[in-house]
Amino acid sequence: MAEAILSFSKIIKPNAPTSCLQTTRLDLNSLSSKSLRQSYSSSGFSHGCQKIEGSKNKRAELQKMRALPDLTLMAVLVEHMEGQRDMITHKSIWHLSDVAMKNVYTFYIMFTCWGCCFFGSTKDPYYDSEQYRKDGGDGTGHWVYEKQEDIEETARGALWREELIEEIEQKVGGLRELEEAGKKEEELVR
Amino acid sequence: MASATSACLLPKPVAPKFPCSPTIVASATHLTNAPFLNNASLSDQLCHAPRPCFRRYAKKNGWLDPFDFGDDPEMEYGSMYSEGKQDEDPRPPESPDNPYGFLKFPMGYGVEVASLGLKIRGDVRRCCCVISGGVYENLLFFPTIQLIKARYPGVQVDVLASPRGKQTYELNKNVRWADAYDADEDFPDPAEYTDMIGILKNRYYDMILSTKLAGLGHASFLFMTTARDRVSYVYPNVNSAGAGLLLSQTFTPDCVNLSDGGYHMYHQMTDWLGRPARGVPREPLPPLKVSISRKLKEYVMEKYTKAGVEKGKYVVIHGIQSDSKASMQSRGDTDSLLPIQTWAEITSTISGVKPVFVIPHEKVREDVEDIIGEEASIVFISTPGQLAALINDSVGVIATNTAAVQLSNAREKPCIALFSSEEKGKLFVPDADVKKCKIISSKTGVLADIDIETIKAAVQIFERPLALV
């Protein structure tokens, strides 16, 4: 006869406990067996209990308290037996779903791997070596101190200046020749 | 006088409109008072041909800008940023008093309008040339670079060429950076490709020129550099489909191989670059010139002294057959190398000066020693810079159609150029008489059949100066 139907409801509901007690008293007065049972059940939960008036067929009740949506901190299971006192079971272990457990372990593994890589790499002798830490780089991410193009560019610049100097010398030489020729002419005139 | 001034007041692009109605224009310019010429709408009525020869080069691409109806004939240009060439260096000097390194702007300097020249006049401050081909093609591009330098004063010219072609820019003082990137590669390494795009984009070019025949792929490479003017040759066939969308100026060569054009292989590009603009006459194409640094001369002098010749007392022999990549042939003339046996015959008659055999690879040295003899002067040269320095110190050059011919012309050394046919000779050395260059061509069209006796007769020119001395 002991039908144990679990009903899920929350502890915190806007129902006031006083009204709850009142209804139980009214039920007691009516002396119906069902209402008696219900009065027991509700009296067992006199602190912070609630009762839904429409659910008279419920044989057991489970109350949960959650810290997080997925993390159940405490559960209270109340079983009603015919003609006996109610069995009240408090469970205060954490209840995690399979998915939540999987997530936790995944996170744990990933964190471990990342930690191994990160803290392992900080101990890498290459990053402390001269090869990596020496001066250099041109700010472009190319860690090369002297680029071939740079050398060639400066060589070309030097070439340009060389030619310019040659040109100027030629011009100056021409001018000098002209001057000398002019002087000679002057001497000839004299 | 009045007509002249009124013609000057007109914006320049109107002028080329006139050829379609020359009689009217002639009568109009003969009028002493022609105020109506200032009326742009009337001058429009004079000629209703839309845009004749000003945009001769620009095949108008309606996809690029559907609302581009050409230059506005009613637009009035001042002379400020629209006429003449660009300034050499528009950057104001740095202020010496300023601790933060700010520039010292002269009175009336408008920072906001300082860059207007870039928009109106089309100034080019930084220019990049992507050049396809080897040493020969790059060498023939030198006049174009000089043209760019002259047309856009103060421009910084950079070059992107194949690793071998890049070596040529040892001889060019007008180039700033020369980077090795092979544009001819059909499937470039993705890392290199993206790296090069990044480098070019970072340099903020105003103009990028390309002599590789562009299809959609190369055009998108040029497009991604985000240069303002993307100028390129395109394929003369269906392969050019889609390239015009990404380029601002395209040239269609006569055939698929650009190098077939010979010395003036880039004539379409130089035509466009030297085009007249407002207040700028057509820029003439300068002759090919190379400059050799002192360092290079010293290095090469050491090299040929080791080979046993003195400065000014040898003839350079270039064009020995080998499978080396450094033989500096043109792509337009594949039949341009002679076997060493033929060279032995040619050089056997030379007396007074010593022939110096330029080998492109060390493995050829043995062949030359076998046939010419152990005492032959052999110089191993694979770069155009060293070849130019060697030619510069020589009496003259005997060469097949390799870069040596162009280098000797550039340094004004007497040269005997051996060509497989007369047409090739005319193409690659256009005005041979002026350039002290004697062209000897094969009658059959195959270089190997060339007449040795003619060459032997021609070789005597190298002995004359010594006889005079």
Side-chain angles (χ1 to χ4, degrees):
Chain A
M1 193 67 198
E3 337 98 278
I5 303 163
L6 293 178
S7 82
F8 296 89
S9 56
K10 284 182 183 163
I11 290 173
I12 306 138
K13 277 246 168 172
N15 280 358
T18 48
S19 67
C20 196
L21 283 173
Q22 272 185 350
T23 50
T24 49
R25 265 171 210 152
L26 282 172
D27 284 342
L28 274 171
N29 292 337
S30 71
L31 287 175
S32 116
S33 65
K34 275 182 183 175
S35 65
L36 190 70
R37 245 183 284 127
Q38 285 202 335
S39 79
Y40 273 120
S41 77
S42 49
S43 64
F45 274 124
S46 57
H47 49 283
C49 84
Q50 53 79 245
K51 181 173 175 297
I52 303 157
E53 283 193 312
S55 60
K56 295 200 170 176
N57 296 327
K58 303 288 157 69
R59 286 289 175 269
E61 285 173 15
L62 178 71
Q63 314 273 337
K64 282 186 186 176
M65 193 158 79
R66 295 164 191 271
L68 293 166
D70 281 338
L71 195 62
T72 315
L73 279 185
M74 192 177 77
V76 180
L77 182 73
V78 184
E79 286 175 65
H80 310 286
M81 307 291 278
E82 200 64 48
Q84 289 183 21
R85 298 186 66 153
D86 286 353
M87 274 182 64
I88 303 172
T89 317
H90 288 260
K91 286 190 177 179
S92 60
I93 56 163
W94 286 9
H95 288 257
L96 288 178
S97 66
D98 286 355
V99 178
M101 274 191 277
K102 194 196 78 183
N103 287 342
V104 166
Y105 277 108
T106 309
F107 176 74
Y108 165 66
I109 288 165
M110 284 169 69
F111 179 78
T112 309
C113 289
W114 173 82
C116 289
C117 293
F118 183 85
F119 292 102
S121 71
T122 57
K123 296 276 179 279
D124 192 333
Y126 171 69
Y127 293 120
D128 297 331
S129 71
E130 186 61 17
Q131 196 185 357
Y132 185 77
R133 290 285 170 196
K134 71 179 174 189
D135 291 342
D138 55 356
T140 59
H142 297 290
W143 203 252
V144 186
Y145 196 71
E146 278 200 332
K147 276 169 135 186
Q148 180 66 25
E149 275 78 29
D150 277 331
I151 303 166
E152 287 174 7
E153 198 263 335
T154 45
R156 250 176 255 125
L159 181 61
W160 186 77
R161 279 190 293 278
E162 225 172 80
E163 295 248 319
L164 195 68
I165 290 167
E166 262 177 40
E167 267 180 38
I168 291 168
E169 275 175 4
Q170 274 181 0
K171 272 181 192 168
V172 170
L175 282 177
R176 250 181 226 153
E177 277 176 20
L178 277 178
E179 276 177 21
E180 281 169 15
K183 276 177 190 171
K184 273 179 191 171
E185 269 183 23
E186 280 176 16
E187 283 170 9
L188 281 175
V189 168
R190 279 172 196 169
Chain B
M1 185 66 195
S3 64
T5 49
S6 62
C8 286
L9 284 172
L10 279 172
K12 272 280 151 43
V14 177
K17 283 181 169 183
F18 288 141
C20 56
S21 58
T23 52
I24 302 173
V25 175
S27 60
T29 44
H30 281 303
L31 290 173
T32 48
N33 188 9
F36 68 91
L37 260 183
N38 285 330
N39 193 344
S41 61
L42 194 70
S43 67
D44 245 11
Q45 287 167 9
L46 283 177
C47 170
H48 32 271
R51 309 223 29 91
C53 50
F54 185 70
R55 291 257 169 149
R56 186 169 35 149
Y57 305 102
K59 197 191 80 182
K60 225 192 114 196
N61 189 343
W63 290 96
L64 287 180
D65 184 359
F67 302 106
D68 179 15
F69 304 113
D71 290 339
D72 186 1
E74 292 181 27
M75 174 81 94
E76 283 178 31
Y77 289 98
S79 63
M80 193 60 177
Y81 292 103
S82 63
E83 268 185 19
K85 292 181 182 175
Q86 64 190 44
D87 303 324
E88 184 96 15
D89 184 16
R91 192 175 188 267
E94 269 174 38
S95 175
D97 315 325
N98 199 297
Y100 306 105
F102 286 139
L103 301 179
K104 186 179 178 182
F105 295 116
M107 281 285 275
Y109 183 89
V111 185
E112 296 87 354
V113 294
S115 58
L116 269 182
L118 290 169
K119 288 283 176 200
I120 301 171
R121 192 166 44 191
D123 289 1
V124 177
R125 298 260 162 243
R126 282 171 299 271
C127 172
C128 180
C129 309
V130 184
I131 296 157
S132 103
V135 166
Y136 207 116
E137 282 78 12
N138 280 278
L139 198 60
L140 292 184
F141 198 74
F142 278 25
T144 316
I145 291 174
Q146 250 167 306
L147 172 74
I148 295 168
K149 272 273 184 186
R151 175 65 183 77
Y152 304 105
V155 67
Q156 288 169 314
V157 184
D158 297 348
V159 161
L160 215 62
S162 63
R164 278 211 183 276
K166 189 197 114 175
Q167 297 176 338
T168 322
Y169 294 95
E170 202 176 3
L171 296 169
N172 195 329
K173 58 177 182 177
N174 293 323
V175 168
R176 185 175 53 151
W177 307 102
D179 287 294
Y181 177 80
D182 201 351
D184 294 326
E185 222 172 318
D186 287 329
F187 296 97
D189 183 13
E192 275 177 31
Y193 180 82
T194 46
D195 184 45
M196 192 44 74
I197 287 177
I199 288 172
L200 296 184
K201 206 168 139 72
N202 263 340
R203 290 184 186 165
Y204 291 92
Y205 287 117
D206 291 322
M207 180 157 75
I208 186 161
L209 304 168
S210 168
T211 69
K212 180 187 154 55
L213 303 191
L216 188 58
H218 188 59
S220 54
F221 176 78
L222 299 178
F223 185 82
M224 279 188 278
T225 61
T226 62
R228 188 192 62 202
D229 297 330
R230 299 166 302 275
V231 181
S232 177
Y233 279 94
V234 292
Y235 280 106
N237 50 26
V238 288
N239 289 323
S240 69
L245 286 180
L246 303 174
L247 299 170
S248 46
Q249 181 68 38
T250 56
F251 312 115
T252 315
D254 308 321
C255 59
V256 177
N257 191 356
L258 202 63
S259 310
D260 283 339
Y263 181 80
H264 292 297
M265 58 187 281
Y266 303 119
H267 69 97
Q268 283 151 320
M269 185 172 271
T270 47
D271 268 7
W272 181 79
L273 283 170
R275 70 195 183 281
R278 273 182 216 99
V280 184
R282 169 162 285 280
E283 195 74 36
L285 185 67
L288 173 63
K289 261 191 192 169
V290 295
S291 34
I292 307 163
S293 69
R294 195 175 298 133
K295 226 172 165 184
L296 193 61
K297 279 178 190 164
E298 279 163 14
Y299 178 76
V300 173
M301 183 180 262
E302 193 183 317
K303 221 171 176 178
Y304 67 70
T305 315
K306 223 179 265 174
V309 289
E310 289 171 53
K311 179 174 178 176
K313 288 181 183 171
Y314 63 90
V315 178
V316 178
I317 307 291
H318 196 260
I320 298 170
Q321 189 141 45
S322 83
D323 55 355
S324 166
K325 293 271 184 230
S327 51
M328 303 187 208
Q329 302 176 74
S330 168
R331 282 185 181 177
D333 190 5
T334 44
D335 179 25
S336 62
L337 294 177
L338 278 175
I340 185 63
Q341 288 84 2
T342 321
W343 281 117
E345 276 186 59
I346 293 168
T347 54
S348 62
T349 53
I350 300 178
S351 59
V353 287
K354 239 188 147 188
V356 170
F357 296 88
V358 179
I359 52 170
H361 197 276
E362 280 292 350
K363 70 187 173 189
V364 190
R365 190 183 286 272
E366 275 182 28
D367 303 342
V368 177
E369 279 176 355
D370 280 352
I371 292 182
I372 309 290
E374 290 291 325
E375 72 280 359
S377 321
I378 302 169
V379 180
F380 164 59
I381 281 179
S382 62
T383 68
Q386 294 181 22
L387 183 61
L390 184 72
I391 288 169
N392 192 39
D393 285 353
S394 71
V395 179
V397 179
I398 308 174
T400 54
N401 185 16
T402 59
V405 172
Q406 304 296 342
L407 288 172
S408 67
N409 288 341
R411 298 307 296 189
E412 292 173 345
K413 291 281 168 188
C415 170
I416 294 174
L418 315 180
F419 279 94
S420 55
S421 65
E422 212 164 311
E423 298 85 63
K424 288 277 180 201
K426 272 180 194 158
L427 272 179
F428 281 92
V429 189
D431 36 357
D433 319 329
V434 188
K435 287 176 179 168
K436 286 203 245 175
C437 180
K438 188 161 173 51
I439 295 176
I440 296 169
S441 47
S442 166
K443 299 279 184 292
T444 54
V446 181
L447 186 61
D449 299 337
I450 200 162
D451 187 19
I452 306 284
E453 296 308 315
T454 327
I455 306 171
K456 279 180 182 171
V459 160
Q460 306 308 320
I461 60 162
F462 296 129
E463 288 154 34
R464 220 181 330 137
L466 283 179
L468 285 175
V469 170

